[in-house]
Amino acid sequence: MAFSKDNLKGFVLALLSSFFIGSSFIIKKKGLRRAAAASGVRAGVGGFTYLLEPLWWVGMAIMIVGEVANFVAYAFAPAVLVTPLGALSIIVSAVLAHSILHEKLPQLGILGCVMCIAGSIIIVIHAPQESPITSVQEIWSLATQPAFLLYVASVIVLVFILIFHFAPRCGNTNALVFIGICSLMGSLSVMSVKALGTSLKLTFEGKNQLLYPDTWFFMLVVAICVIMQMNYLNKALDTFNTAVVSPIYYVMFTSLTILASVIMFKDWDGQTAASIISEICGFVVVLSGTILLHTTKDFERSPSFRGGYSSLTPGLSPITPTLSTRLCSGNGELLKHDQDVPSEDFCRQEMY
C-alpha cells in the first residue's frame, strides 16, 4: 500500500514526539530525585513535592511538546502507525540514561535499539491508510459501537481493581500495577486524542466541529485520562528503575492502544492478510528489541538501582537480577531495610 502524504506527516511528527518524550523521562527522573532528596518524601509513596522542583517542570514541558506532536500525528495517521513508533523514545531514553543517569548500555542493548528501529520501519512501510472522516459524529458512532463499549467497560473495571485492590498492597513492589493503570487509561486517551485531533483538523479546514457536544466530551475524556496517566507514571518512575518503566510501559501501552484502535477505527479493514502479518511481525520485532534493551541493562552499578545479589552478599559474584527481582525491587529502596535477606526472598516476603 502506498505511503500517503498524511501518513508521512504523521510519521515525522511521531519521530519528533519520540525524541521529546524520551528526553523528558530522564529529566523528570532527575527532578524526582532532587525533590525526594530535599523533602525526604518520594512520589512513589504519595509525595507531591516534585511539583516545586523546576527540573521536573522542565521535563514536563518537554513531555508536553512531545505529546502535542503526538496529538497532531494521530490526526494524520492511524494509531497502528503512530503508536509503535513510540519505541524510538525508549532508544532516546536508554542513550540519555547511559550518559546522564550512568545506567550502562551494553552491546546487546545497542542491538535492541537496532531491532526497535528495524521493526518501526516495517510497520511504517505496511501502515494502513485510514478511511476519510467528515465529522465528529462519525467518530461518535464508532465509539458507541457494542464492541468498543465492551472494551471501555473492561478497561474501567480493571483500572478500579488495580487502584483500589492491588495498588495499596503491592504497588510499590510490582511495577505492573502502576504501569498497568497508565497503559489501560492510555489506550482510552489515545482514542479520545485521535477523535479530538480529527475534530480540530476538520474545524481548521472550515468544518466547525466545536458546535457538537461530542467534541467536548472527547476533550473531557482526554483530560481525565492524561491526569491519571501522569499521576501513576510519576509513581512508577519514582519507585522503579527507568529501564524497567520505559519498556514495560511501551509494551503494554502500545499493545492495548493497537487493540483499541483496531476495534474502534477498524484499522485493518481493507488490508491484505500479508500487510497485517507484516505489521504484526514488525511489532514483534519492536517488542523483542525493547525486551532485549531491558534485560541487558546493568542495574547493579546504576545509581538509581541498588538491588542485586552482589550488593547484599559480597561473597557472591556479580550477576544480573532476574526480571521478577527487578520488578519487585524497583530502585532498591525496599531492600535497604534488610541487608541480610536475598532480594528474591525479600520479594516473596513482601508479596505474601
Side-chain angles (χ1 to χ4, degrees):
M1 185 175 292
F3 199 59
S4 67
K5 288 184 178 180
D6 280 351
N7 277 12
L8 179 60
K9 292 177 182 177
F11 170 69
V12 172
L13 288 167
L15 288 182
L16 293 174
S17 172
S18 294
F19 174 78
F20 287 119
I21 292 176
S23 302
S24 73
F25 269 98
I26 306 303
I27 298 174
K28 288 174 67 179
K29 179 80 174 182
K30 289 188 71 67
L32 288 168
R33 283 185 186 175
R34 285 189 182 181
S39 66
V41 181
R42 297 165 45 237
V45 294
F48 290 95
T49 54
Y50 61 84
L51 296 175
L52 302 176
E53 173 57 50
L55 189 60
W56 184 87
W57 283 107
V58 171
M60 178 56 65
I62 294 174
M63 176 170 278
I64 290 173
V65 172
E67 292 295 350
V68 169
N70 202 44
F71 175 90
V72 180
Y74 280 112
F76 290 98
V80 173
L81 167 62
V82 176
T83 306
L85 291 178
L88 301 180
S89 68
I90 298 178
I91 298 176
V92 175
S93 179
V95 172
L96 292 180
H98 174 75
S99 58
I100 297 176
L101 300 181
H102 308 294
E103 297 175 0
K104 185 178 178 182
L105 182 63
Q107 292 183 348
L108 285 178
I110 296 174
L111 176 60
C113 293
V114 173
M115 292 176 66
C116 289
I117 295 173
S120 298
I121 292 174
I122 295 173
I123 293 171
V124 168
I125 292 174
H126 297 279
Q129 294 187 33
E130 290 185 305
S131 302
I133 296 176
T134 58
S135 72
V136 69
Q137 292 175 313
E138 288 184 31
I139 304 176
W140 181 257
S141 65
L142 293 173
T144 54
Q145 58 185 313
F148 188 70
L149 289 177
L150 179 61
Y151 175 81
V152 172
S154 302
V155 166
I156 293 174
V157 170
L158 286 173
V159 166
F160 270 88
I161 292 174
L162 288 172
I163 291 176
F164 295 107
H165 180 73
F166 288 102
R169 291 168 172 78
C170 55
N172 290 316
T173 57
N174 193 325
L176 296 179
V177 177
F178 291 151
I179 298 175
I181 296 171
C182 292
S183 302
L184 288 165
M185 296 304 297
S187 67
L188 296 184
S189 69
V190 167
M191 297 303 100
S192 300
V193 161
K194 184 166 181 59
L196 182 60
T198 303
S199 300
L200 294 177
K201 177 186 174 185
L202 292 172
T203 299
F204 291 140
E205 291 174 352
K207 303 174 183 177
N208 191 358
Q209 303 298 306
L210 300 178
L211 301 174
Y212 300 102
D214 305 340
T215 301
W216 298 100
F217 176 79
F218 286 127
M219 188 178 298
L220 176 63
V221 173
V222 169
I224 294 173
C225 292
V226 167
I227 290 172
M228 289 190 65
Q229 280 181 268
M230 182 179 69
N231 181 40
Y232 285 98
L233 182 57
N234 282 331
K235 289 179 180 290
L237 281 172
D238 187 61
T239 307
F240 301 96
N241 194 286
T242 307
V244 172
V245 175
S246 295
I248 296 178
Y249 180 50
Y250 168 76
V251 170
M252 294 181 67
F253 171 73
T254 304
S255 301
L256 290 169
T257 298
I258 290 177
L259 175 61
S261 184
V262 168
I263 294 174
M264 179 174 173
F265 290 99
K266 299 178 172 59
D267 290 328
W268 286 344
D269 285 10
Q271 276 200 296
T272 63
S275 294
I276 295 174
I277 292 173
S278 297
E279 288 175 45
I280 294 174
C281 290
F283 183 50
V284 170
V285 171
V286 172
L287 292 185
S288 301
T290 59
I291 292 172
L292 189 60
L293 258 173
H294 169 55
T295 55
T296 56
K297 275 285 186 180
D298 184 5
F299 287 93
E300 295 182 48
R301 297 188 182 274
S302 170
S304 61
F305 184 87
R306 296 191 297 276
Y309 285 102
S310 61
S311 62
L312 297 173
T313 309
L316 294 179
S317 59
I319 59 174
T320 302
T322 62
L323 176 60
S324 60
T325 306
R326 294 173 190 165
L327 294 183
C328 290
S329 302
N331 283 338
E333 297 294 335
L334 294 175
L335 294 179
K336 66 183 180 183
H337 296 299
D338 192 342
Q339 295 295 322
D340 298 325
V341 183
S343 57
E344 288 186 347
D345 292 338
F346 187 89
C347 263
R348 294 190 190 101
Q349 292 176 15
E350 285 294 308
M351 293 298 290
Y352 296 102

mmCIF file of all heavy atoms in Angstrom, residues 105-133:
data_model
loop_
_atom_site.group_PDB
_atom_site.id
_atom_site.type_symbol
_atom_site.label_atom_id
_atom_site.label_comp_id
_atom_site.label_asym_id
_atom_site.label_seq_id
_atom_site.Cartn_x
_atom_site.Cartn_y
_atom_site.Cartn_z
ATOM 1 N N LEU A 105 24.670 0.917 28.962
ATOM 2 C CA LEU A 105 24.007 0.360 27.781
ATOM 3 C C LEU A 105 24.987 -0.578 27.086
ATOM 4 O O LEU A 105 25.873 -0.138 26.349
ATOM 5 C CB LEU A 105 23.575 1.474 26.825
ATOM 6 C CG LEU A 105 22.818 1.044 25.554
ATOM 7 C CD1 LEU A 105 21.501 0.371 25.933
ATOM 8 C CD2 LEU A 105 22.575 2.229 24.640
ATOM 9 N N PRO A 106 24.867 -1.904 27.304
ATOM 10 C CA PRO A 106 25.819 -2.847 26.718
ATOM 11 C C PRO A 106 25.565 -3.065 25.231
ATOM 12 O O PRO A 106 24.648 -2.512 24.643
ATOM 13 C CB PRO A 106 25.543 -4.131 27.517
ATOM 14 C CG PRO A 106 24.118 -4.013 27.926
ATOM 15 C CD PRO A 106 23.856 -2.555 28.142
ATOM 16 N N GLN A 107 26.396 -3.917 24.636
ATOM 17 C CA GLN A 107 26.316 -4.154 23.189
ATOM 18 C C GLN A 107 24.981 -4.778 22.789
ATOM 19 O O GLN A 107 24.414 -4.432 21.760
ATOM 20 C CB GLN A 107 27.486 -5.048 22.748
ATOM 21 C CG GLN A 107 28.843 -4.360 22.847
ATOM 22 C CD GLN A 107 29.966 -5.242 22.335
ATOM 23 O OE1 GLN A 107 29.782 -6.435 22.108
ATOM 24 N NE2 GLN A 107 31.149 -4.657 22.176
ATOM 25 N N LEU A 108 24.469 -5.706 23.617
ATOM 26 C CA LEU A 108 23.166 -6.293 23.303
ATOM 27 C C LEU A 108 22.056 -5.253 23.414
ATOM 28 O O LEU A 108 21.037 -5.339 22.733
ATOM 29 C CB LEU A 108 22.881 -7.475 24.232
ATOM 30 C CG LEU A 108 23.652 -8.771 23.936
ATOM 31 C CD1 LEU A 108 23.309 -9.840 24.958
ATOM 32 C CD2 LEU A 108 23.336 -9.267 22.527
ATOM 33 N N GLY A 109 22.249 -4.259 24.276
ATOM 34 C CA GLY A 109 21.299 -3.163 24.351
ATOM 35 C C GLY A 109 21.285 -2.358 23.065
ATOM 36 O O GLY A 109 20.229 -1.912 22.599
ATOM 37 N N ILE A 110 22.460 -2.184 22.480
ATOM 38 C CA ILE A 110 22.546 -1.486 21.192
ATOM 39 C C ILE A 110 21.820 -2.297 20.124
ATOM 40 O O ILE A 110 21.123 -1.740 19.265
ATOM 41 C CB ILE A 110 24.022 -1.266 20.809
ATOM 42 C CG1 ILE A 110 24.691 -0.344 21.839
ATOM 43 C CG2 ILE A 110 24.132 -0.681 19.403
ATOM 44 C CD1 ILE A 110 26.186 -0.170 21.632
ATOM 45 N N LEU A 111 21.961 -3.628 20.171
ATOM 46 C CA LEU A 111 21.231 -4.485 19.240
ATOM 47 C C LEU A 111 19.728 -4.307 19.419
ATOM 48 O O LEU A 111 18.970 -4.276 18.443
ATOM 49 C CB LEU A 111 21.619 -5.950 19.459
ATOM 50 C CG LEU A 111 20.859 -6.995 18.623
ATOM 51 C CD1 LEU A 111 21.074 -6.746 17.129
ATOM 52 C CD2 LEU A 111 21.300 -8.411 19.003
ATOM 53 N N GLY A 112 19.286 -4.165 20.673
ATOM 54 C CA GLY A 112 17.872 -3.917 20.937
ATOM 55 C C GLY A 112 17.407 -2.627 20.295
ATOM 56 O O GLY A 112 16.298 -2.556 19.740
ATOM 57 N N CYS A 113 18.235 -1.594 20.342
ATOM 58 C CA CYS A 113 17.894 -0.325 19.681
ATOM 59 C C CYS A 113 17.733 -0.514 18.180
ATOM 60 O O CYS A 113 16.800 0.013 17.569
ATOM 61 C CB CYS A 113 18.978 0.718 19.959
ATOM 62 S SG CYS A 113 19.098 1.247 21.681
ATOM 63 N N VAL A 114 18.661 -1.269 17.586
ATOM 64 C CA VAL A 114 18.590 -1.524 16.139
ATOM 65 C C VAL A 114 17.318 -2.290 15.787
ATOM 66 O O VAL A 114 16.662 -2.007 14.780
ATOM 67 C CB VAL A 114 19.844 -2.309 15.682
ATOM 68 C CG1 VAL A 114 19.710 -2.729 14.221
ATOM 69 C CG2 VAL A 114 21.094 -1.468 15.877
ATOM 70 N N MET A 115 16.948 -3.252 16.628
ATOM 71 C CA MET A 115 15.723 -4.019 16.387
ATOM 72 C C MET A 115 14.489 -3.118 16.467
ATOM 73 O O MET A 115 13.550 -3.266 15.670
ATOM 74 C CB MET A 115 15.614 -5.163 17.389
ATOM 75 C CG MET A 115 16.654 -6.245 17.206
ATOM 76 S SD MET A 115 16.573 -7.535 18.484
ATOM 77 C CE MET A 115 14.981 -8.268 18.135
ATOM 78 N N CYS A 116 14.481 -2.184 17.415
ATOM 79 C CA CYS A 116 13.360 -1.242 17.517
ATOM 80 C C CYS A 116 13.221 -0.420 16.248
ATOM 81 O O CYS A 116 12.118 -0.202 15.734
ATOM 82 C CB CYS A 116 13.549 -0.323 18.718
ATOM 83 S SG CYS A 116 13.328 -1.118 20.316
ATOM 84 N N ILE A 117 14.360 0.034 15.738
ATOM 85 C CA ILE A 117 14.337 0.836 14.507
ATOM 86 C C ILE A 117 13.867 -0.004 13.325
ATOM 87 O O ILE A 117 13.037 0.430 12.515
ATOM 88 C CB ILE A 117 15.730 1.432 14.243
ATOM 89 C CG1 ILE A 117 16.103 2.419 15.353
ATOM 90 C CG2 ILE A 117 15.776 2.117 12.881
ATOM 91 C CD1 ILE A 117 17.521 2.932 15.261
ATOM 92 N N ALA A 118 14.389 -1.232 13.211
ATOM 93 C CA ALA A 118 14.018 -2.111 12.098
ATOM 94 C C ALA A 118 12.529 -2.446 12.133
ATOM 95 O O ALA A 118 11.835 -2.405 11.111
ATOM 96 C CB ALA A 118 14.847 -3.392 12.142
ATOM 97 N N GLY A 119 12.022 -2.772 13.329
ATOM 98 C CA GLY A 119 10.601 -3.072 13.453
ATOM 99 C C GLY A 119 9.734 -1.886 13.117
ATOM 100 O O GLY A 119 8.682 -2.024 12.475
ATOM 101 N N SER A 120 10.169 -0.695 13.520
ATOM 102 C CA SER A 120 9.409 0.520 13.212
ATOM 103 C C SER A 120 9.344 0.757 11.708
ATOM 104 O O SER A 120 8.312 1.174 11.175
ATOM 105 C CB SER A 120 10.042 1.727 13.909
ATOM 106 O OG SER A 120 10.006 1.583 15.306
ATOM 107 N N ILE A 121 10.451 0.488 11.010
ATOM 108 C CA ILE A 121 10.472 0.659 9.554
ATOM 109 C C ILE A 121 9.481 -0.287 8.885
ATOM 110 O O ILE A 121 8.746 0.093 7.963
ATOM 111 C CB ILE A 121 11.903 0.426 9.016
ATOM 112 C CG1 ILE A 121 12.829 1.556 9.485
ATOM 113 C CG2 ILE A 121 11.887 0.345 7.489
ATOM 114 C CD1 ILE A 121 14.286 1.338 9.136
ATOM 115 N N ILE A 122 9.436 -1.527 9.354
ATOM 116 C CA ILE A 122 8.486 -2.497 8.792
ATOM 117 C C ILE A 122 7.050 -2.010 8.985
ATOM 118 O O ILE A 122 6.220 -2.086 8.076
ATOM 119 C CB ILE A 122 8.680 -3.878 9.452
ATOM 120 C CG1 ILE A 122 10.060 -4.445 9.102
ATOM 121 C CG2 ILE A 122 7.581 -4.851 9.005
ATOM 122 C CD1 ILE A 122 10.404 -5.727 9.848
ATOM 123 N N ILE A 123 6.755 -1.511 10.185
ATOM 124 C CA ILE A 123 5.405 -1.024 10.474
ATOM 125 C C ILE A 123 5.053 0.156 9.582
ATOM 126 O O ILE A 123 3.944 0.255 9.046
ATOM 127 C CB ILE A 123 5.286 -0.645 11.961
ATOM 128 C CG1 ILE A 123 5.391 -1.905 12.832
ATOM 129 C CG2 ILE A 123 3.967 0.067 12.239
ATOM 130 C CD1 ILE A 123 5.497 -1.614 14.314
ATOM 131 N N VAL A 124 6.008 1.076 9.404
ATOM 132 C CA VAL A 124 5.765 2.270 8.586
ATOM 133 C C VAL A 124 5.471 1.883 7.141
ATOM 134 O O VAL A 124 4.546 2.419 6.505
ATOM 135 C CB VAL A 124 6.981 3.222 8.658
ATOM 136 C CG1 VAL A 124 6.881 4.309 7.591
ATOM 137 C CG2 VAL A 124 7.075 3.857 10.037
ATOM 138 N N ILE A 125 6.234 0.941 6.618
ATOM 139 C CA ILE A 125 6.067 0.539 5.218
ATOM 140 C C ILE A 125 4.688 -0.073 4.971
ATOM 141 O O ILE A 125 4.054 0.166 3.938
ATOM 142 C CB ILE A 125 7.169 -0.464 4.814
ATOM 143 C CG1 ILE A 125 8.533 0.234 4.790
ATOM 144 C CG2 ILE A 125 6.867 -1.090 3.449
ATOM 145 C CD1 ILE A 125 9.696 -0.709 4.542
ATOM 146 N N HIS A 126 4.196 -0.845 5.941
ATOM 147 C CA HIS A 126 2.931 -1.560 5.752
ATOM 148 C C HIS A 126 1.751 -0.905 6.482
ATOM 149 O O HIS A 126 0.699 -1.523 6.645
ATOM 150 C CB HIS A 126 3.085 -3.012 6.228
ATOM 151 C CG HIS A 126 4.095 -3.794 5.450
ATOM 152 N ND1 HIS A 126 3.810 -4.360 4.230
ATOM 153 C CD2 HIS A 126 5.398 -4.093 5.718
ATOM 154 C CE1 HIS A 126 4.887 -4.984 3.769
ATOM 155 N NE2 HIS A 126 5.858 -4.844 4.658
ATOM 156 N N ALA A 127 1.931 0.326 6.913
ATOM 157 C CA ALA A 127 0.863 1.007 7.658
ATOM 158 C C ALA A 127 -0.368 1.219 6.780
ATOM 159 O O ALA A 127 -0.257 1.535 5.595
ATOM 160 C CB ALA A 127 1.363 2.351 8.170
ATOM 161 N N PRO A 128 -1.569 1.049 7.339
ATOM 162 C CA PRO A 128 -2.805 1.232 6.549
ATOM 163 C C PRO A 128 -3.134 2.709 6.357
ATOM 164 O O PRO A 128 -2.665 3.573 7.103
ATOM 165 C CB PRO A 128 -3.865 0.566 7.436
ATOM 166 C CG PRO A 128 -3.346 0.749 8.824
ATOM 167 C CD PRO A 128 -1.851 0.644 8.723
ATOM 168 N N GLN A 129 -3.928 2.982 5.336
ATOM 169 C CA GLN A 129 -4.465 4.321 5.143
ATOM 170 C C GLN A 129 -5.886 4.344 5.690
ATOM 171 O O GLN A 129 -6.674 3.433 5.447
ATOM 172 C CB GLN A 129 -4.473 4.695 3.659
ATOM 173 C CG GLN A 129 -3.087 4.814 3.050
ATOM 174 C CD GLN A 129 -3.137 5.346 1.633
ATOM 175 O OE1 GLN A 129 -3.998 6.154 1.286
ATOM 176 N NE2 GLN A 129 -2.212 4.892 0.792
ATOM 177 N N GLU A 130 -6.186 5.389 6.429
ATOM 178 C CA GLU A 130 -7.486 5.475 7.072
ATOM 179 C C GLU A 130 -8.572 5.914 6.098
ATOM 180 O O GLU A 130 -8.316 6.657 5.148
ATOM 181 C CB GLU A 130 -7.439 6.460 8.233
ATOM 182 C CG GLU A 130 -6.642 5.978 9.411
ATOM 183 C CD GLU A 130 -6.741 6.945 10.574
ATOM 184 O OE1 GLU A 130 -6.442 8.128 10.393
ATOM 185 O OE2 GLU A 130 -7.114 6.486 11.675
ATOM 186 N N SER A 131 -9.785 5.477 6.386
ATOM 187 C CA SER A 131 -10.936 5.965 5.636
ATOM 188 C C SER A 131 -11.193 7.408 6.048
ATOM 189 O O SER A 131 -11.090 7.745 7.237
ATOM 190 C CB SER A 131 -12.180 5.111 5.932
ATOM 191 O OG SER A 131 -11.937 3.761 5.604
ATOM 192 N N PRO A 132 -11.489 8.288 5.098
ATOM 193 C CA PRO A 132 -11.704 9.698 5.448
ATOM 194 C C PRO A 132 -12.903 9.874 6.373
ATOM 195 O O PRO A 132 -13.937 9.233 6.209
ATOM 196 C CB PRO A 132 -11.947 10.364 4.085
ATOM 197 C CG PRO A 132 -12.383 9.250 3.178
ATOM 198 C CD PRO A 132 -11.662 8.038 3.652
ATOM 199 N N ILE A 133 -12.734 10.730 7.383
ATOM 200 C CA ILE A 133 -13.801 11.040 8.334
ATOM 201 C C ILE A 133 -14.235 12.481 8.105
ATOM 202 O O ILE A 133 -13.402 13.392 8.064
ATOM 203 C CB ILE A 133 -13.326 10.847 9.776
ATOM 204 C CG1 ILE A 133 -12.979 9.371 10.016
ATOM 205 C CG2 ILE A 133 -14.385 11.304 10.772
ATOM 206 C CD1 ILE A 133 -12.407 9.079 11.390
#
